[in-house]
Amino acid sequence: VEFFFVCTMASAVATQDELPSEWKGGPTNTLLCADVGLGLGKVNKRRNAAAGLFRALRKYPLTRALRYLDVLSASDLGVSSSDAARIQSRSGVAYQEIYGGADMTICIFLMRKGARIPAHDHPGMHVFGRLLFGSMRVKSWDLLSDEGDMRNDVPLEAYYYGEQVLGPHPATYGLGPEEGNIHEIEAVENCAFFDILTPPYNPKGGRDCTYFDALTLETGTTTLTPRSRPDFGMETQDYTGPPF
């Protein structure tokens, strides 16, 4: 699976010339870059990989910083399966924010076994992440035309890429604005994943999160219908790992 990412941050811009050659020219297939790794060089794992990643994000182009993702572990971030097991919210989903700024959001999502994050989009955004522990099932879609009318109850034709189970071993993944941008996540086991979202969600800037209901018709056509999700909420947990 190959993906092409171009991400802009406040202090670093990754252009196509800075990307590994195997990323240039765009994706040839999509679900997630799982179990493939980002292939950006080896990292000294004797140090805390989270601290190294955060330091690199502040100093270097994004593509150089992302090499730390392939060695990032739950212990580097101070999270464990017990944090997922103690989630009390009805959704079974918890959120730890590490950093939130105009350039990006860095966070951890934790999910209790059986919990589900409904299908949702990441408009104009790139996501770079890593499953830290457990297993999760991911379904991915893309709209076949410009989003256009995003009113609730208006079905939009979509392409369904299928589903993929990540875990139980940690796995690095990513998605961009054009492929696999809409996904649904279900916890097969208690799990947690680390995400870098750039640029971050910004409702006032046109990057609000839209939820969808997915339906595959008898003709094989898949539709995504925008839905409000007042019943879905996430529990907030304190982040206890290295500071950004």
Side-chain angles (χ1 to χ4, degrees), residues 20-161:
S21 60
E22 64 268 23
W23 285 9
K24 296 178 181 179
T28 58
N29 191 9
T30 185
L31 266 181
L32 293 170
C33 303
D35 300 317
V36 176
L38 296 174
L40 296 175
K42 294 182 179 180
V43 171
N44 184 348
K45 193 57 183 75
R46 289 177 294 178
R47 300 179 179 179
N48 183 292
L53 171 62
F54 300 158
R55 183 170 55 252
L57 284 171
R58 294 191 299 268
K59 295 176 59 178
Y60 302 120
L62 181 61
T63 50
R64 179 171 176 178
L66 287 176
R67 64 197 183 117
Y68 286 90
L69 273 182
D70 287 341
V71 295
L72 190 65
S73 69
S75 60
D76 290 325
L77 293 159
V79 295
S80 69
S81 59
S82 62
D83 294 311
R86 66 182 174 87
I87 296 173
Q88 298 298 313
S89 65
R90 182 171 62 176
S91 68
V93 181
Y95 176 84
Q96 297 183 10
E97 183 167 285
I98 300 171
Y99 169 79
D103 50 352
M104 61 184 164
T105 296
I106 305 175
C107 57
I108 301 169
F109 291 90
L110 300 103
M111 302 178 68
R112 198 173 57 228
K113 180 179 179 179
R116 184 176 69 92
I117 299 177
H120 61 282
D121 65 354
H122 310 79
M125 299 161 61
H126 300 264
V127 179
F128 302 90
R130 183 164 174 83
L131 175 69
L132 300 171
F133 63 78
S135 297
M136 62 186 189
R137 178 177 293 106
V138 183
K139 298 179 179 180
S140 300
W141 300 264
D142 277 314
L143 297 176
L144 292 181
S145 61
D146 291 340
E147 295 186 2
D149 192 344
M150 294 291 284
R151 293 177 301 175
N152 289 350
D153 302 324
V154 177
L156 304 170
E157 191 171 358
Y159 180 79
Y160 176 47
Y161 291 105

Side-chain angles (χ1 to χ4, degrees), residues 4-7 122-127 142 147 175-182 198-199:
F4 167 58
F5 300 109
V6 177
C7 292
H122 310 79
M125 299 161 61
H126 300 264
V127 179
D142 277 314
E147 295 186 2
L175 62 85
E178 302 299 331
E179 296 213 15
N181 188 266
I182 299 169
T198 181

